[in-house]
Amino acid sequence: MIEYKNVSTIYDDDFVALDNINLEIKDGEFVSIVGPAGAGKSTLLRLLTREITPDKGKVIVDGVDLAGISGNAIPLLRRKIGTVFQDFKLLTSKNSFENVAFALEVCGANHRQIHEDVPKVLSIVGLTDKTNSFPHQISGGEKQRLAIARALIHRPRIMLADEPTGNLDLVNSYDVLRLLMKINELGTTVIMVTHNRDLVNAVGRRVVSMEKGKI
Ligand code: ADP
């Protein structure tokens, strides 16, 4: 499903952030990417969402070379890929329902679809009782579960989680991890960047270890 072929990313003309990466991720895998800060983990994810294109090599998703897709195909690609981050990136002036609904509204979804789909994803992440709560009224773990609900709304084939538990305590970290594992069991490919070894061991699946731009 995902293929990096001889991929290098060079920042500021001479800083090699990724050095000839070859990596294949199959449909339905749960892959943890580990490594020290600066190893190139986030860069690897940014290539998948076409925030950046490689300076050398190819990134292929579902058989499509991302370098070749046009500007208006990028939103379609991003709907295929849900993303969650360490800092949640929720809209503070919107409640849980509205945070998830917004992701549908910007794609032109109608009222009926929004009112059908949003409660479903809030239920999957266990936040039905927080539907009307604002981000400042819910815990860190709940915020991340809300971010996951928003990422799920387009039924993505791939879920990227960049340090999803970086701001969470142990109990909430495992809640979020269990949720990502459940999403994976339901068929979504999950790629999680983390430097929490215990979490990686709890997943018990494939681990890709990075250092200085190499795997
Ligand atoms: P990680 O996620 O493993 O911490 P990153 O992929 O964020 O690593 O970064 C890899 C290296 O590339 C780091 O040394 C970082 O400082 C550098 N880097 C990341 N983004 C940029 C950028 N936009 N411009 C210049 N250097 C960058």
Side-chain angles (χ1 to χ4, degrees):
M1 158 169 275
I2 296 167
E3 219 179 331
Y4 295 81
K5 277 189 181 169
N6 305 110
V7 169
S8 294
T9 295
I10 297 151
Y11 289 121
D12 302 330
D13 293 332
D14 62 353
F15 182 81
V16 182
L18 292 180
D19 187 3
N20 198 30
I21 296 288
N22 283 290
L23 175 67
E24 198 178 321
I25 296 173
K26 295 207 162 57
D27 202 5
E29 277 199 83
F30 191 127
V31 179
S32 302
I33 301 179
V34 300
K41 306 181 297 295
S42 301
T43 301
L44 206 63
L45 299 190
R46 282 203 289 274
L47 286 162
L48 274 187
T49 49
R50 251 295 296 261
E51 272 174 72
I52 53 173
T53 49
D55 295 285
K56 287 186 198 141
K58 284 182 180 180
V59 180
I60 297 165
V61 176
D62 259 346
V64 177
D65 180 350
L66 298 190
I69 67 172
S70 64
N72 47 18
I74 292 174
L76 290 175
L77 169 77
R78 293 189 182 150
R79 267 177 243 168
K80 213 185 271 186
I81 305 177
T83 39
V84 292
F85 302 94
Q86 177 169 353
D87 60 356
F88 320 127
K89 300 198 192 298
L90 297 170
L91 299 166
T92 53
S93 62
K94 293 187 186 290
N95 68 25
S96 301
F97 184 95
E98 293 162 345
N99 261 284
V100 179
F102 188 67
L104 281 175
E105 282 162 13
V106 294
C107 297
N110 62 34
H111 184 81
R112 204 183 109 223
Q113 191 186 349
I114 289 170
H115 283 263
E116 261 177 36
D117 291 357
V118 175
K120 276 189 207 153
V121 292
L122 287 176
S123 158
I124 290 171
V125 303
L127 285 182
T128 302
D129 59 338
K130 303 287 178 185
T131 298
N132 298 314
S133 303
F134 289 84
H136 72 271
Q137 295 170 317
I138 60 179
S139 73
E142 288 167 340
K143 284 191 187 93
Q144 193 58 293
R145 285 193 274 134
L146 178 55
I148 292 172
R150 181 182 55 188
L152 282 178
I153 196 71
H154 295 299
R155 301 188 180 92
R157 306 260 323 270
I158 303 165
M159 174 75 88
L160 305 181
D162 195 350
E163 295 282 2
T165 64
N167 281 330
L168 304 179
D169 64 20
L170 199 65
V171 172
N172 281 305
S173 294
Y174 279 92
D175 272 354
V176 163
L177 184 67
R178 270 192 293 273
L179 181 55
L180 290 172
M181 290 169 79
K182 176 172 145 191
I183 288 164
N184 176 247
E185 277 159 24
L186 295 173
T188 303
T189 304
V190 175
I191 305 175
M192 176 176 75
V193 164
T194 183
H195 51 241
N196 185 329
R197 289 205 164 268
D198 294 336
L199 224 54
V200 167
N201 289 334
V203 180
R205 302 280 292 272
R206 183 179 175 196
V207 180
V208 170
S209 178
M210 292 190 70
E211 203 177 322
K212 294 188 181 145
K214 287 186 187 290
I215 288 178

